[in-house]
Amino acid sequence: MFSTRRSVPALLTLVALLAACTTTPPPQPPIKLPPPVGPVPVPPTQPPAQPQQPPPPAPLFTPVTFDALPGWQQDDLRQAWPAFQASCRALGAKPDWKAPCAAGKSVDPGDGTAIRQFFETYFVPNLVRAPDGADAGLITGYYEPMLRGARERGGAYQTPLYKVPDDLITVNLASVYPSLKGMRLRGRLVGKTVVPYATRADIERARIPGKELVWVDDPVEAFFLEVQGSGRVQLDDGDTVRIAYADQNGHPYKAIGRWLIDQKELAPGEATAQGIKAWIAVHPERRQELLNVNPSYVFFREERLPDPNVGPKGALGVPLTPTRSVAVDPAFIPLGAPLFLSTTEPADDVPLQRLVMAQDTGGAIKGAVRADFFFGFGGQAADNAGRMKQRGQIWALLPRPGN
């Protein structure tokens, strides 16, 4: 039998030998993969965005038939005939106008059917569009106001209406660049350089002594006379004279009503002539600040008034016919042309559709689909013009080729 005291050391030795035989081997280095063969693919990129070309401008005139004119058959063309005859006095010698103006001399002015047939024979209606394609635009109104004045300054008559200053220079740019037909440069000479003429604020501050045409009793009405372009002044000696547009200082027209809207002083629907005058009455200390927003300034000349029933002359050089003459932008609409106007009555939705003549221009009348409707003389005309700010369409009646 074995002794247990002798067997324990032997077992310990055996365990040690076995442990030495099972020791963990050292870690192996990581396996390196070979680099990829061939070029590394590059993800595709988007081509640079090309700038978008603006669309071409829409045609100014699109020929249509007379049936496309809303209200053409209902309009009493006899009321427009005197205005058309006035246009012919200015345009009758031009090649396109010779035939229609000559034929018009034999038309009975009291026969509406004959007048309608005349226009349908000698003219083609063309829908007028803005360059962006819009065929509707703003239709406003103007009138011939009456002011109170005197030949000499004194009493209530403290606001001058000026003649054209001697140092105002007007250059017809078309004489140098025919492509600039109808455009003029206004200014004054300083040495050999033409510089801009004085603004409204400058003129009000420095005055133009010796060029006072008449003195009137209301600076606000004097301002609105400039906007209208012409008017009448009842003098303190009992005479009434017509004051007509003569020239302008060359600065662009800026609407004071628009400024009042931008300043949150008036809501858009309140910026009529009546609303502006009411605002000034409440804020008399800000009157000149408001008027100076418009840097444009108009100079006048005096005209005889042999017949108070005859309207003032427009840019075409013929008297304007109440409710049958309009002011347009001659860069788009030829002066003298018959136009068919489709809009609505002042501050109303009642249709106003009638034949009118493009016989005047205005500093605020800019754009193709834009017209200023002449309401005539008197209180009712003033009220209508002050509230007229409607949307409308215009068709230009152009002479038919071959007549």
Side-chain angles (χ1 to χ4, degrees), residues 168-306:
L168 177 64
I169 295 174
T170 302
V171 180
N172 184 357
L173 296 178
S175 63
V176 182
Y177 302 101
S179 62
L180 299 179
K181 180 181 178 181
M183 299 187 67
R184 291 176 172 81
L185 173 68
R186 294 175 173 88
R188 61 186 180 90
L189 275 177
V190 175
K192 294 184 178 181
T193 303
V194 178
V195 300
Y197 203 76
T199 64
R200 173 179 300 278
D202 296 332
I203 293 171
E204 293 289 355
R205 185 165 47 247
R207 301 291 187 173
I208 311 177
K211 287 298 176 180
E212 299 89 351
L213 188 62
V214 295
W215 299 83
V216 297
D217 65 351
D218 191 330
V220 177
E221 293 300 330
F223 177 89
F224 278 93
L225 173 66
E226 294 184 42
V227 177
Q228 307 309 314
S230 62
R232 305 179 191 185
V233 177
Q234 186 175 21
L235 299 174
D236 59 348
D237 61 8
D239 288 341
T240 300
V241 296
R242 173 168 277 152
I243 304 296
Y245 173 94
D247 213 329
Q248 185 255 1
N249 66 344
H251 290 272
Y253 174 90
K254 292 186 179 180
I256 61 174
R258 179 75 261 171
W259 185 83
L260 287 171
I261 293 172
D262 293 341
Q263 298 296 313
K264 304 295 190 293
E265 296 288 342
L266 289 180
E270 299 172 335
T272 62
Q274 294 88 337
I276 294 170
K277 291 177 182 179
W279 184 91
I280 294 174
V282 175
H283 304 87
E285 75 286 354
R286 299 185 65 187
R287 181 191 68 205
Q288 200 58 51
E289 173 194 0
L290 174 63
L291 301 186
N292 287 347
V293 166
N294 178 21
S296 174
Y297 199 96
V298 172
F299 305 107
F300 296 98
R301 66 174 182 271
E302 183 178 334
E303 290 185 350
R304 295 176 59 250
L305 187 64

Side-chain angles (χ1 to χ4, degrees), residues 5-247:
R5 186 179 295 271
R6 288 187 61 190
S7 62
V8 170
L11 287 173
L12 293 174
T13 303
L14 180 61
V15 170
L17 291 173
L18 289 174
C21 293
T22 59
T23 302
T24 303
Q28 297 297 317
I31 299 175
K32 294 183 178 180
L33 296 176
V37 179
V40 178
V42 178
T45 59
Q46 296 294 328
Q50 298 296 322
Q52 292 186 350
Q53 297 296 324
L60 176 61
F61 298 129
T62 302
V64 299
T65 66
F66 278 92
D67 290 338
L69 276 55
W72 170 252
Q73 295 295 333
Q74 290 72 41
D75 186 23
D76 186 355
L77 299 184
R78 295 174 298 178
Q79 298 178 9
W81 191 246
F84 173 75
Q85 290 178 315
S87 284
C88 276
R89 290 198 294 271
L91 301 176
K94 293 189 174 184
D96 290 345
W97 288 85
K98 283 184 177 179
C101 287
K105 295 178 180 178
S106 61
V107 174
D108 180 358
D111 188 341
T113 300
I115 295 172
R116 196 178 318 278
Q117 183 177 1
F118 164 81
F119 281 109
E120 293 177 356
T121 300
Y122 285 93
F123 291 89
V124 176
N126 290 262
L127 178 63
V128 180
R129 295 182 186 274
D132 64 359
D135 64 0
L138 178 63
I139 311 299
T140 53
Y142 70 120
Y143 69 105
E144 187 180 19
M146 173 72 88
L147 283 74
R148 295 184 299 273
R151 295 290 186 186
E152 301 293 335
R153 183 180 188 179
Y157 308 117
Q158 297 293 324
T159 301
L161 303 180
Y162 288 116
K163 306 174 189 177
V164 178
D166 294 333
D167 60 347
L168 177 64
I169 295 174
T170 302
V171 180
N172 184 357
L173 296 178
S175 63
V176 182
Y177 302 101
S179 62
L180 299 179
K181 180 181 178 181
M183 299 187 67
R184 291 176 172 81
L185 173 68
R186 294 175 173 88
R188 61 186 180 90
L189 275 177
V190 175
K192 294 184 178 181
T193 303
V194 178
V195 300
Y197 203 76
T199 64
R200 173 179 300 278
D202 296 332
I203 293 171
E204 293 289 355
R205 185 165 47 247
R207 301 291 187 173
I208 311 177
K211 287 298 176 180
E212 299 89 351
L213 188 62
V214 295
W215 299 83
V216 297
D217 65 351
D218 191 330
V220 177
E221 293 300 330
F223 177 89
F224 278 93
L225 173 66
E226 294 184 42
V227 177
Q228 307 309 314
S230 62
R232 305 179 191 185
V233 177
Q234 186 175 21
L235 299 174
D236 59 348
D237 61 8
D239 288 341
T240 300
V241 296
R242 173 168 277 152
I243 304 296
Y245 173 94
D247 213 329

